[in-house]
Structure formats: C-alpha cells, structure tokens
Amino acid sequence: MLKPFAHFAPVLLGSLFSCAAPLPVVTDPLDGVDPVWSNSEASEGFALLRELRSPELDDLLAEALGGGSPDLRAASARMEAAAALAGAARGALWPSLGFDLQNSRSTRNLRTFGIAIPPGVDPITTVSSVSGSFAASWELDAWGRIRETVEAAEQDLAVGYWDLEAARVSLAGQLVRGWFALGEARAQRDLAERTLASWRRSEEQLQRRFEAGVGRALDLHLLGTSVATAEAGLQTAREAEQLALRALEALAGRVAEGSLEAGAVLLADVPAAPSSIDATALGLRPDLRAAESRTAAELARASVARADLWPRISFTATTGWTGTEAEHVGDPDFSVWSFVGGLTAPLFQGGALRARIQAADSTVRATLATWEGLVLRACAEVERARIQMGASDLRFGALVRAAEEASAAEALATEQYEAGLVGIIEVLEAQRRQLAVESEVLRALRQRHEARVDLWLALGGHGVASCACCGVSVEGVPAQAGEPGSPSSELSEGGS
C-alpha cells in the first residue's frame, strides 16, 4: 500500500521545495554615478564645523547632540529597541533549555471504573505524582532560515543607527543655520540701533538750525518721519532677534532663557568650500547608509520566505524523574529520558508561501528604488548647493561694492547739504540707500554661510560624530561600507 507513495514522495517534495525564483539582483545605485562635479582625486570631505572654529557653537552642538534634543532621544530609544530585537533573533540560533517540576495529588472512585469493591473497603483512592525534568530543543538551520532572520534583524539595527545619525546630522545643520540666523538678527538689530541714533542726531541738529531760523519746517518733518520709521524698524529687528533666539534654544532642547544672545556672531570669514568633490563621498550620507541597510534587511527576509518552503528539522531531548513521592526526584531508579527528532514540511497552503516570496521580492525592489531615488536626490542637493555657493559669493561681492558706493554717496550728500548745495531729501535718500545696502550685505553674508551648510549636509555632515556623541553604544554597529558584515557586502553576496 505504501510503495506507490514511496516512489511518488521524492517527486512531490522536489516540486514543492525547488521551484522558488532566484533572489532579486541588488546593486549599489552609487556604482556608475559620475556627476560633472565629481573628482575622484578629492582628498577629504567638507569639514564645516572644523572650519568655523566657534567654541560657543561647538558647546551648543555638544549639548544638543549629547541628549538635549527630545527628537534625538526618541531616535536613540528606537535604535535600542532594534538592538534588543536583534539580540532576541540571535537567541534562535542556540538550543533552548527548560526545567519543569510538577507535584499533583488526586482522588479516584474505583466504582466509576466498574470495579467490584468488597465490603469494608474504601472505594476512594488517592494518587500522588511527583515529576521533574530538563528539556532541550534545537532547530537545525539547514536552509539558513534562522540565519537570514538574524541578518534581517541586524540590518534593522543598522537602519536604526543610521536613522539616528541622519537625525543628528539634520539637527546639527538646523543648529548651524539657526546660529547664523541669530547672528544676522543681532547684526540687523545693531544696524537698526545705529540707524536710529544717527537719525536722532540729525534731527537734533536740524531742530537747532530750524530754531536758529536757517532750517525749513518741511525738512524737519521729513527727518521726523525717518526717525519714526527707524524706531519701527528697530522693534522689528528686536522681534526677529528674539524669534531666532527662541528657535535656536528649542533646537538645543532648552527652555527659553536667553543665554545664547551674547554668543551668536555672524562670522565675516566664510569657510572655504572644497574645490572638488568625490562622488563616492555620498556613500557616507547617513540616509543613504540607512537605505542600503533597509534593502539588505528586505533581501534577507526574501531569503527567509524561500527557506520557509523547505522542511524544518528539530530535535528535542528530555531527562528527569517521575514518582509518587518528592524524594523520588533525583533518584536514579525513577529516572526517565526521551529523544525526539522531527521533520515538518509544508505540503499545501493554498499558495500562501509563494505569495509571501513574491511580496518579499516586490518589497526588495521597492526599497531598492527608494535607495536609487535618494542617490539622485543627494546628487541634486550637492549640485544645488554648489550653484547657491557660487551665486551667493558673487552677490555678496557686488553688495560690498554697492555699500562702499552708498557710503561715499551719503558722505558727499551730507557735505553738499551743509554747504547748501542740495536739500534734505537728497541726504535722506542717500542715507536710506546706504542703510538698505548694509542690511542686504548682512543678509548676503548669512546666505553665504547657509549655502556652505547646505553643501555640508548634502555631503553627509562630515565631522558631526567628532563634535559630540549621543551616549548610545550598540555592539557591532555599524561596520564601514565594504567591510565584512557591512550592508554593502551583504548586498553583494545576496545579489550574486
């Protein structure tokens, strides 16, 4: 009766377990990327923080990146959760061991079993049972299902690490931009204060001329308008300074206290940008490293889905004692043991297993496409930052020249007004243009800084790790790209 099935079983099992499609081929999207700005001879990344040389800014970054930011603490907690899950996944590689101790006592009525009970004999009997046993079980990872599950968990941990690094870089970029925004706001406020003081001195001089009978009432009213406008401008500048200060304190995780007001300075020396950039430096961007690890994790899960087609082989061994009294536990005369080897194979599940394989493969392709999109966006961000740097440098140079011309025009207008050659309107217009240009110079200086911050962020925020640490240490994370165990090396193995 069993012989026909014995001949058919190998064919059936072979058809069930050997028809899975191969794993999707995954390659690094950075391979072959060669934008026009790339230069493979570029020696190092753009170390903006080192170029700024600002102790106050370094202290602020250390405070925020060291745990002051709630967002970073949340990202750190998520990474710690991923580390715990990776540890739990590794536990499946080892045998499990357990101990069981039971003590039971029950009564039975012998009449219920149809046993004739002689007169005078109690039909109620008491049964005691005491047992203790050790059990060990282990699943043989013949097809790599458990190893790939562990690999997926470890890559999820790497994703958590790189997401945390991306959050730290993003926060550092926001802090640096906020630092320059506060510096500009302070400089604009100083300019507004000097402007108001200048207008008031001019108003006092004109008032004395008017009282002496050599000034016009129209000139006095025009100058009074300028004074009132300057007062309003000063209030606007102070408001902008306070808003920039509060925004920077919020980024640093501080309650509004105003302690940063004396520290922020709009640096006149703009850090020099790298003359050439190696496109492979984009591989150091945390978001690209996270995308790489996500793809590796999904590739491992696709391998797990394929391994689920194959039988699971497990072994269970138990040893212990069983008896009717507590002292029987540990007595060799009452010892028992067993050893069981099992094989469980999926024969028919309505196509569910192969559907899971298709879903896993589609997820791999989706994460790979997302990774490719991030690479394209990274290249675009570098190119945009380079364009903005060039434009901001040219704009700043032109505005500096305009400020020099406006200063000369204002001095000449004042001299000619005192000589009676021009009216007050020409002086007011010259002063208005000079102040407007000086304000634009400050704004352009901030934009020069911000363009370099954008380039620094586009290249991965080089130097954030050496500026401060968040105090989280996870064993084995991360390996550098290309090293054994790193996401890129796993991808090359999975796609081969």
Side-chain angles (χ1 to χ4, degrees):
M1 294 293 294
L2 297 178
K3 286 185 178 180
F5 180 77
H7 290 293
F8 178 68
V11 178
L12 176 62
L13 294 176
S15 63
L16 285 173
F17 305 142
S18 62
C19 297
L23 283 170
V25 177
V26 176
T27 58
D28 192 337
L30 279 173
D31 293 343
V33 173
D34 188 21
V36 295
W37 44 262
S38 178
N39 181 0
S40 60
E41 297 180 357
S43 58
E44 60 177 335
F46 183 22
L48 176 69
L49 299 183
R50 185 177 63 196
E51 294 290 335
L52 289 177
R53 301 183 185 90
S54 174
E56 295 89 351
L57 178 58
D58 288 344
D59 292 342
L60 182 64
L61 287 168
E63 176 183 347
L65 300 182
S69 170
D71 293 338
L72 286 189
R73 291 198 299 271
S76 177
R78 287 192 293 269
M79 189 188 70
E80 291 175 344
L85 293 175
R90 295 187 196 102
L93 293 170
W94 297 88
S96 61
L97 180 65
F99 176 73
D100 179 65
L101 179 64
Q102 295 186 9
N103 184 6
S104 65
R105 186 179 180 86
S106 62
T107 60
R108 298 179 182 178
N109 192 330
L110 297 180
R111 290 192 180 97
T112 61
F113 297 96
I115 300 175
I117 306 300
V121 177
D122 189 359
I124 306 300
T125 182
T126 301
V127 179
S128 298
S129 175
V130 178
S131 63
S133 63
F134 291 94
S137 61
W138 179 62
E139 180 179 344
L140 177 64
D141 192 22
W143 325 115
R145 183 184 65 84
I146 299 178
R147 291 192 301 273
E148 292 298 336
T149 301
V150 172
E151 173 63 20
E154 290 179 343
Q155 292 297 342
D156 287 339
L157 172 57
V159 170
Y161 176 88
W162 292 117
D163 282 345
L164 175 59
E165 286 299 299
R168 295 177 70 239
V169 169
S170 176
L171 177 59
Q174 295 178 63
L175 282 168
V176 175
R177 291 176 67 96
W179 182 264
F180 291 137
L182 180 57
E184 185 209 347
R186 288 193 60 213
Q188 296 283 10
R189 186 253 298 161
D190 291 341
L191 176 61
E193 290 176 348
R194 295 196 308 271
T195 299
L196 178 59
S198 175
W199 286 126
R200 283 176 174 170
R201 286 194 301 270
S202 298
E203 184 182 34
E204 292 174 358
Q205 294 174 359
L206 188 58
Q207 180 69 32
R208 289 194 295 268
R209 290 170 59 90
F210 178 76
E211 293 174 354
V214 294
R216 298 184 306 169
L218 176 60
D219 295 346
L220 191 61
H221 287 303
L222 289 174
L223 196 52
T225 302
S226 297
V227 170
T229 303
E231 291 175 346
L234 177 59
Q235 296 306 316
T236 301
R238 287 174 174 171
E239 177 189 8
E241 180 187 13
Q242 290 299 313
L243 292 177
L245 173 62
R246 298 296 177 257
L248 189 58
E249 288 178 331
L251 286 173
R254 293 183 180 182
V255 179
E257 57 187 21
S259 61
L260 295 177
E261 184 175 3
V265 176
L266 190 62
L267 303 177
D269 296 331
V270 177
S275 58
S276 58
I277 304 170
D278 186 358
T280 58
L282 293 177
L284 300 178
R285 282 177 53 130
D287 57 341
L288 296 187
R289 297 295 295 272
E292 184 180 11
S293 296
R294 283 191 181 91
T295 305
E298 297 304 331
L299 195 63
R301 292 188 178 95
S303 297
V304 172
R306 285 163 172 77
D308 285 339
L309 292 174
W310 294 85
R312 297 189 182 187
I313 304 171
S314 60
F315 303 96
T316 303
T318 60
T319 182
W321 306 267
T322 181
T324 59
E325 302 295 338
E327 57 266 19
H328 293 163
V329 176
D331 190 336
D333 293 335
F334 294 88
S335 64
V336 294
W337 65 270
S338 67
F339 181 81
V340 179
L343 184 147
T344 305
L347 296 180
F348 178 74
Q349 295 188 11
L353 295 179
R354 298 192 181 278
R356 290 171 189 161
I357 292 176
Q358 294 175 358
D361 290 351
S362 297
T363 304
V364 171
R365 289 190 289 270
T367 53
L368 179 59
T370 301
W371 185 10
E372 293 171 348
L374 288 174
V375 170
L376 293 177
R377 190 176 71 182
C379 293
E381 289 175 354
V382 173
E383 182 63 22
R384 182 168 60 249
R386 293 180 68 253
I387 293 173
Q388 290 174 343
M389 279 198 310
S392 63
D393 290 347
L394 294 175
R395 182 166 53 250
F396 178 76
L399 287 172
V400 168
R401 293 192 301 273
E404 294 173 352
E405 295 293 336
S407 178
E410 189 275 337
L412 182 60
T414 301
E415 180 182 350
Q416 291 182 351
Y417 174 75
E418 293 175 351
L421 299 178
V422 297
I424 192 64
I425 294 179
E426 286 80 1
V427 176
L428 295 177
E429 177 63 18
Q431 292 178 342
R432 185 191 64 80
R433 290 189 180 186
Q434 179 189 10
L435 297 172
V437 170
E438 289 181 2
S439 177
E440 288 298 320
V441 168
L442 295 175
R443 188 172 294 109
L445 182 57
R446 172 189 170 185
Q447 291 171 349
R448 291 187 74 196
H449 282 295
E450 290 181 341
R452 282 151 177 80
V453 172
D454 291 342
L455 177 62
W456 175 67
L457 292 174
L459 294 176
H462 178 71
V464 171
S466 61
C467 172
C469 68
C470 60
V472 178
S473 176
V474 178
E475 181 180 357
V477 177
Q480 292 298 320
E483 293 181 357
S486 68
S488 60
S489 65
E490 298 296 337
L491 290 180
S492 62
E493 293 171 7
S496 59

